[in-house]
């Protein structure tokens, strides 16, 4: 391969980092902010992130401290997200005539996102290769006309990203259900659906059972399948506080992650001039998909310790009063094959012993996880095993203990609370029906994967995306793009260009909206919105700067006007009033959604308010009224000879599909993204070399190979037999039919691949 043929000819590979944040994080956040936004705009926005009367950061769902909130309560990637959204650079009207869709489809995500903010609605007519400006009125009329022309409301799908506020999400699902369908796929389908499924089945609610302060009080935190240093860096502050209190942390991951090795807090002197804080006391480099086996092995050691000293290890009072299923779990784990555990995990028995000893010594344990666990084939059962381990010693409903799924999108959890789900429970649907007086559909709708299948087979003809980048985020890129192109109409509600704008149906609309950083004036009165973070705390978010251009609508306004154009007077819902005054939306939310009583008053308190979560007070909304210990059959992914198990992951300068730069500082990658991380011993075994270019072929029974071409091999200390490549580029390797049991989440953490040298 010549240099000219390489996808990123300037790509550089340097040694990986063994610590995170510190002064470089300040530099890498502030320099782009100052260059793109200027001094005044940067200062104003950075002092408003995650503050009382400020705006909630859009880069992750990590919680804000209740007390001792720092004046600079943001991280490197948070400020990059603000810079990306609040840039004064805008896409000019001339752009659409100058750039065809054919040309734009050849551009990468980074280039598309760098073109600036969208400022006017645009329309691609059927048969055209260009967008053209369209008035708001004409755009909404077209949406209403196309939706009303469908044979059935179920022939449309309404996607939502977790960036959308509670108010916009509530109105969106209200519109969709008033229209007549539950086709409400969302980004949670692709990330934390496995968490919601497993936790609901075992403890009665698919949310975290901890609050922010619990992290500092924990004796042991087990961090699984998670990279806080990149994906939610402010979490490192909570982990540092736990370490200062004498706590212990165990990290379980396929790759070593800098943020879990050492953290240099730039807001503390030792984080600037010292060595910072060691985070992980034990780092278990586990084989992809081996987490379930590890958890079962630790639980078996706990049960063995109880057998050796009856009455001294398990929390018998807790188990008797608050759980069911212990005897079945005991009998099942008694048959656990240690040799299979070691094959599945790829680690030594002594490492499991060390983790079990730390668990047994701890009075308060939190297990926290992210997409490294939720995107496995057995992810639901794996998370059930987390619950098993916590319940054995009563680590639920007490300070410093519990289950903590860490969401990525800033309001993905709030959107689900507001009704963005294709399978909302009857109590929500009944309350919605009682409040608004129309027959709410009960049939389950389509999730993200099933939406692609519907587009592919023609049973879905209209796709409306509320924020996000569905085409890039979903698995099986080629198949998903072909499916999307079969739609009759695609609509994207967005702030900036992304891949979903250039992969369209016959007709397409882009509707530009205000960002979270911008003041939202309705009738001259500033409005605010709300979000729910990963520990179920609800906060207000107030825009801080003038909109980047006149004429932009808020997400609430776009939903309200779509609803009016589609439903007309068929159902008596005051859409125009909702657009004018968001307090009126919150009044309706409090009458439909439990826990939101006195919503408008409580959310304006300094730290907002926390939602009640049953397991925190040992109330379990399960059929038995108790937490369920479960029996889960261990399966592990076999690696065929000459193959590797690949997972997708984000670079450091990235949030979901948004690419801030072509660098991945902690892993030593600069000026490029087309790389595959492979253990040096695996490279040797496969007859390959560091720096060599390969095509990555994924294998799925009965189907042709999917190929990610021209990737540079990077020798990296992953677990043996494993590999990693960047998301969303590597989504092309993930078959649409490869989904987690029980949650239908794409299995992006267990892709069998072979590496074929490029001639």
């Amino acid at each position: 391969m010549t240099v000219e043929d390489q996808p990123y000819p300037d790509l550089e590979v340097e040694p990986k980092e063994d610590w995170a944040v510190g002064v470089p994080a300040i530099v890498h956040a502030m320099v782009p902010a100052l260059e793109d936004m200027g001094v005044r705009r940067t200062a104003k926005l950075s002092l408003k992130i995650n503050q009382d009367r400020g705006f909630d950061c859009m880069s992750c769902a990590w919680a804000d401290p209740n007390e001792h909130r720092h004046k600079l309560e943001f991280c490197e990637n948070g400020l990059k997200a603000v810079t990306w959204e609040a840039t004064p650079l805008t896409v000019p009207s001339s752009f659409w005539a100058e750039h065809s869709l054919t040309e734009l489809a050849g551009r990468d995500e980074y280039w598309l996102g760098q073109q600036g903010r969208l400022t006017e609605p645009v329309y691609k007519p059927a048969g055209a290769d260009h967008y053209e400006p369209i008035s708001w009125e004409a755009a909404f009329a077209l949406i209403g006309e196309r939706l009303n022309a469908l044979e059935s409301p179920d022939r449309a799908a309404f996607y939502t990203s977790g960036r959308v506020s509670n108010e916009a999400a509530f109105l969106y699902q209200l519109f969709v259900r008033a229209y007549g369908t539950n086709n409400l796929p969302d980004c949670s389908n692709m990330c934390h659906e496995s968490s919601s499924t497993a936790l609901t089945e075992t403890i009665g609610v698919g949310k975290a059972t901890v609050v922010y302060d619990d992290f500092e009080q924990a004796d042991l935190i087990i961090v699984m399948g998670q990279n806080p240093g990149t994906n939610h860096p402010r979490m490192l502050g909570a982990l540092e506080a736990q370490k200062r209190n004498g706590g212990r942390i165990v990290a379980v991951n396929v790759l070593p992650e800098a943020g879990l090795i050492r953290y240099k807090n730039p807001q503390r002197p030792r984080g600037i001039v010292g060595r910072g804080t060691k985070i992980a006391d034990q780092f278990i480099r586990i084989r992809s998909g081996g987490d379930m086996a590890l958890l079962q092995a630790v639980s078996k050691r706990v049960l063995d310790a109880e057998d050796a000293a009856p009455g001294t290890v398990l929390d018998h009072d807790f188990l008797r009063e608050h759980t069911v299923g212990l005897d079945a779990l005991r009998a099942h784990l008694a048959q656990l094959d240690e040799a299979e555990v070691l094959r599945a995990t790829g680690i030594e028995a002594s490492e499991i012993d060390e983790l079990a000893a730390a668990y047994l010594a701890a009075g308060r344990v939190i297990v926290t996880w992210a997409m490294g666990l939720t995107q496995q084939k057995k992810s639901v059962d794996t998370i059930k095993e987390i619950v098993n381990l916590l319940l054995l010693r009563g680590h639920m409903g007490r300070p410093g203990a519990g289950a903590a799924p860490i969401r990525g999108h800033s309001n993905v959890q709030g959107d689900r609370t507001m009704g963005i789900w294709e399978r909302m429970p009857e109590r929500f649907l009944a309350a919605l029906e009682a409040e608004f007086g129309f027959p709410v559909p009960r049939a389950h709708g389509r999730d993200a994967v099933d939406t692609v299948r519907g587009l592919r087979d023609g049973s879905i003809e209209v796709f409306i995306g509320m924020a996000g980048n569905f085409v890039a985020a979903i698995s099986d890129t080629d198949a998903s793009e072909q499916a999307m192109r079969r739609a009759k109409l695609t609509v994207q509600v967005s702030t900036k260009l992304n891949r979903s704008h250039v992969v369209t149906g016959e007709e397409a609309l882009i509707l530009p909206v205000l960002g979270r950083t911008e003041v939202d004036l309705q009738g001259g009165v500033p409005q605010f919105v709300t979000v729910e973070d990963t520990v179920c705390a609800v906060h207000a978010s107030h825009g801080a700067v003038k909109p980047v251009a006149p004429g932009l609508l808020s997400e609430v306004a776009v939903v309200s006007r779509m609803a009016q154009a589609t439903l007309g007077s068929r159902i008596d819902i005051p859409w125009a009033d909702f657009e004018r005054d968001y307090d009126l939306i919150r009044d309706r939310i409090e009458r439909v959604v439990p826990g939101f009583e006195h919503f408008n008053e409580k959310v304006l308190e300094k730290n907002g308010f926390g939602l009640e979560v049953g397991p925190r007070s040992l109330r379990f909304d399960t059929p038995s009224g108790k937490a369920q210990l479960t029996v889960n059959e261990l399966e592990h992914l076999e690696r065929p000879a000459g193959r590797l198990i690949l997972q997708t992951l984000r670079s450091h300068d990235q949030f979901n599909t948004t690419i801030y730069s072509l660098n991945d500082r902690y892993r030593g990658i600069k000026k490029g993204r087309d790389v595959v991380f492979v253990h040096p011993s695996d490279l040797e075994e496969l007859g390959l070399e560091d720096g060599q270019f390969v095509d990555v072929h994924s294998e799925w029974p009965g189907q042709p190979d999917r190929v990610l071409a021209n990737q540079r091999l990077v020798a990296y200390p992953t677990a043996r037999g494993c590999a990693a490549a960047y998301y969303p580029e590597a989504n092309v390797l993930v078959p649409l039919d490869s989904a987690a049991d029980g949650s239908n989440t794409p299995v992006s953490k267990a892709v069998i691949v072979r590496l074929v040298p490029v001639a």
Side-chain angles (χ1 to χ4, degrees):
M1 173 183 286
T2 66
V3 172
E4 291 74 18
D5 294 330
Q6 294 175 10
Y8 293 102
D10 298 325
L11 186 144
E12 300 174 9
V13 179
E14 298 179 350
K16 69 178 184 64
E17 299 282 1
D18 60 3
W19 57 271
V21 193
V23 174
I26 299 175
V27 174
H28 283 86
M30 281 297 179
V31 169
L34 293 170
E35 289 177 348
D36 288 359
M37 297 191 297
V39 174
R40 291 185 62 185
R41 196 171 179 88
T42 297
K44 184 170 187 177
L45 288 171
S46 62
L47 292 172
K48 288 285 189 178
I49 306 177
N50 301 318
Q51 303 296 330
D52 184 39
R53 308 297 297 185
F55 63 92
D56 194 83
C57 182
M58 65 290 288
S59 71
C60 78
W62 180 246
D64 298 328
N66 291 325
E67 304 296 336
H68 314 300
R69 191 178 300 192
H70 198 278
K71 289 186 181 296
L72 300 178
E73 187 60 42
F74 63 87
C75 66
E76 174 186 353
N77 278 6
L79 188 55
K80 287 176 180 174
V82 169
T83 302
W84 185 86
E85 176 184 286
T87 175
L89 179 66
T90 60
V91 176
S93 292
S94 59
F95 178 89
W96 308 108
E98 294 169 356
H99 298 278
S100 68
L101 279 169
T102 301
E103 178 208 334
L104 293 174
R107 301 287 190 171
D108 63 15
E109 285 286 354
Y110 177 64
W111 187 92
L112 291 171
Q114 293 300 307
Q115 301 313 298
R117 285 285 300 277
L118 299 163
T119 62
E120 60 184 343
V122 291
Y123 168 58
K124 185 201 85 69
D129 197 29
H130 286 262
Y131 282 106
E132 58 191 44
I134 186 175
S135 71
W136 282 109
E137 292 76 13
F140 292 127
L142 188 147
I143 293 170
E145 181 181 332
R146 299 298 185 267
L147 287 175
N148 287 324
L150 295 178
E151 179 182 328
S152 163
D154 290 331
R155 298 186 74 83
F158 301 82
Y159 174 73
T160 317
S161 155
R163 194 205 71 192
V164 175
S165 69
N166 286 329
E167 290 74 14
F170 184 80
L171 286 195
Y172 193 51
Q173 64 81 32
L174 177 63
F175 160 46
V176 172
R177 292 189 166 103
Y179 173 62
T181 185
N182 281 310
N183 284 349
L184 282 158
D186 72 335
C187 61
S188 191
N189 295 152
M190 296 180 273
C191 56
H192 264 286
E193 199 66 64
S194 299
S195 298
S196 300
T197 302
L199 293 176
T200 299
E201 292 179 8
T202 54
I203 61 175
V205 62
K207 298 185 178 185
T209 70
V210 300
V211 298
Y212 183 92
D213 293 342
D214 286 328
F215 286 90
E216 188 171 345
Q217 299 175 51
D219 298 318
L220 173 67
I221 300 176
I222 304 174
V223 183
M224 304 188 71
Q226 186 179 350
N227 177 16
T230 284
N231 296 331
H232 26 266
R234 287 192 301 135
M235 183 182 180
L236 295 176
L239 298 181
E240 180 188 47
Q242 187 254 13
K243 294 301 295 286
R244 290 202 306 268
N245 287 342
R248 184 177 178 84
I249 293 174
V250 176
V252 181
N253 210 310
V254 179
L255 288 79
E257 300 290 8
L260 289 171
I261 298 172
R262 186 172 295 278
Y263 168 49
K264 293 188 178 183
N265 187 341
Q267 297 176 358
R268 297 172 60 85
R270 69 179 295 176
I272 296 176
V273 298
R275 286 181 47 78
T277 302
K278 179 183 177 182
I279 296 296
D281 299 280
Q282 181 187 7
F283 206 122
I284 298 176
R285 202 165 307 172
I286 197 164
R287 184 176 177 266
S288 288
D291 304 274
M292 181 178 173
L294 173 64
L295 290 160
Q296 288 192 341
V298 173
S299 289
K300 184 177 188 303
R301 282 160 169 75
V302 172
L303 293 169
D304 289 346
E306 170 68 21
D307 291 340
T312 66
V313 176
L314 302 184
D315 188 330
H316 290 279
D317 290 341
F318 175 88
L319 290 165
R320 182 175 54 256
E321 294 176 20
H322 300 295
T323 73
V324 293
L326 177 60
D327 290 343
L329 178 63
R330 273 182 175 275
H332 178 67
L333 291 184
Q335 306 302 315
L336 186 64
D337 185 341
E338 181 80 358
E340 184 180 4
V341 167
L342 299 182
R343 289 196 303 273
T345 60
I347 61 177
E348 302 294 329
S350 59
E351 296 179 81
I352 304 174
D353 294 339
E354 182 180 348
L355 173 56
Y359 174 84
L360 289 167
R364 294 164 295 186
V365 177
I366 290 174
V367 182
T368 176
W369 69 93
M371 289 163 65
L373 262 62
T374 64
Q375 293 181 328
Q376 300 179 18
K377 178 67 172 172
K378 300 287 288 185
S379 57
V380 172
D381 286 351
T382 298
I383 295 161
K384 288 181 178 179
E385 292 294 351
I386 289 175
V387 175
N388 283 344
L389 182 60
L390 289 169
L391 294 178
L392 287 176
R393 284 172 54 84
H395 294 299
M396 193 80 67
R398 67 170 68 162
I406 305 299
R407 261 78 178 190
H409 260 307
S410 61
N411 196 42
V412 62
Q413 188 158 286
D415 287 353
R416 183 61 58 90
T417 302
M418 292 297 109
I420 299 294
W421 192 28
E422 72 280 359
R423 294 182 289 131
M424 285 301 287
E426 172 61 23
R427 60 180 176 269
F428 178 93
L429 300 177
L432 194 70
E433 187 168 275
E435 177 64 24
F436 290 98
F438 66 87
V440 173
R442 294 317 202 263
H444 288 174
R446 293 181 183 261
D447 64 13
V449 168
D450 284 336
T451 292
V452 174
R453 293 191 179 114
L455 288 162
R456 182 180 61 192
D457 65 23
S459 59
I460 291 180
E461 300 175 70
V462 174
F463 178 93
I464 299 179
M466 193 71 185
N469 185 3
F470 182 81
V471 163
I474 192 66
S475 53
D476 212 340
T477 306
D478 291 344
S480 296
E481 291 193 356
Q482 290 175 26
M484 189 64 73
R485 294 185 194 279
R486 296 196 60 182
K488 290 185 176 178
L489 171 68
T490 53
V491 181
Q492 303 294 338
V493 182
S494 310
T495 56
K496 297 184 80 172
L497 274 174
N498 61 47
R499 182 70 181 170
S500 293
H501 300 122
V502 301
V503 178
T504 74
E506 294 175 17
E507 296 179 281
L509 285 165
I510 302 174
L511 306 181
V513 287
L514 295 171
R516 193 176 292 176
T517 55
E518 293 169 315
V519 175
D520 180 0
L521 289 176
Q522 299 296 336
V525 179
Q527 305 293 315
F528 70 89
V529 294
T530 62
V531 297
E532 178 188 343
D533 66 29
T534 199
V535 297
C536 313
V538 179
H539 307 273
S541 182
H542 303 258
V545 294
K546 289 177 58 178
V548 71
L552 290 174
L553 297 183
S554 68
E555 290 173 338
V556 164
V558 166
V559 174
S560 297
R561 296 187 193 187
M562 277 198 297
Q564 291 177 82
T566 304
L567 302 175
S569 59
R570 295 203 302 266
I571 299 175
D572 185 19
I573 298 175
W575 302 107
D577 292 343
F578 290 152
E579 178 181 343
R580 174 180 54 81
D581 185 354
Y582 298 179
D583 281 356
L584 301 178
I585 306 172
R586 288 184 282 272
D587 287 342
R588 297 302 190 100
I589 290 171
E590 77 170 63
R591 296 202 287 266
V592 172
V593 185
F596 284 82
E597 296 78 13
H598 308 292
F599 190 3
N600 276 308
E601 294 78 21
K602 290 192 301 185
V603 78
L604 291 179
E605 296 174 5
K606 182 177 180 181
N607 295 311
F609 65 97
L611 294 175
E612 207 173 307
V613 177
R616 294 177 185 169
S617 54
L618 298 180
R619 290 184 297 102
F620 302 100
D621 186 15
T622 61
S624 67
K626 296 185 176 184
Q628 179 72 54
L629 291 151
T630 54
V631 169
N632 306 294
E633 295 299 328
L634 177 61
E635 295 178 13
H636 73 273
L637 186 63
E638 296 288 351
R639 178 171 70 97
R643 274 51 172 179
L644 297 172
I645 303 173
L646 180 136
Q647 68 167 343
T648 67
L649 46 71
R650 303 174 190 165
S651 73
H652 183 62
D653 274 5
Q654 178 178 353
F655 173 65
N656 292 339
T657 62
T658 300
I659 314 300
Y660 301 135
S661 85
L662 299 177
N663 300 328
D664 190 359
R665 187 168 79 251
Y666 295 150
R667 298 189 183 104
I669 306 300
K670 292 185 176 181
K671 302 177 184 178
R673 292 179 55 82
D674 283 353
V675 298
V676 181
F677 300 98
V678 182
H679 195 282
S681 297
D682 288 324
L683 289 177
E684 183 178 0
E685 178 184 296
L686 295 171
L688 300 170
E689 297 180 356
D690 181 31
Q692 187 174 355
F693 280 81
V694 297
D695 292 338
V696 183
H697 291 243
S698 72
E699 301 176 341
W700 186 252
Q703 296 185 17
D705 287 358
R706 293 160 175 81
V707 181
L708 180 64
N710 297 333
Q711 303 294 299
R712 175 173 169 172
L713 294 174
V714 175
Y716 205 83
T718 67
R720 284 296 311 273
C722 299
Y726 289 130
Y727 160 97
E729 292 89 343
N731 281 355
V732 69
L733 300 172
V734 184
L736 191 68
D737 295 329
S738 180
D741 297 341
S743 68
N744 212 30
T745 298
V747 178
S748 300
K749 299 298 186 281
V751 185
I752 298 297
V753 300
R754 73 180 188 278
L755 307 179
V756 179
V758 174

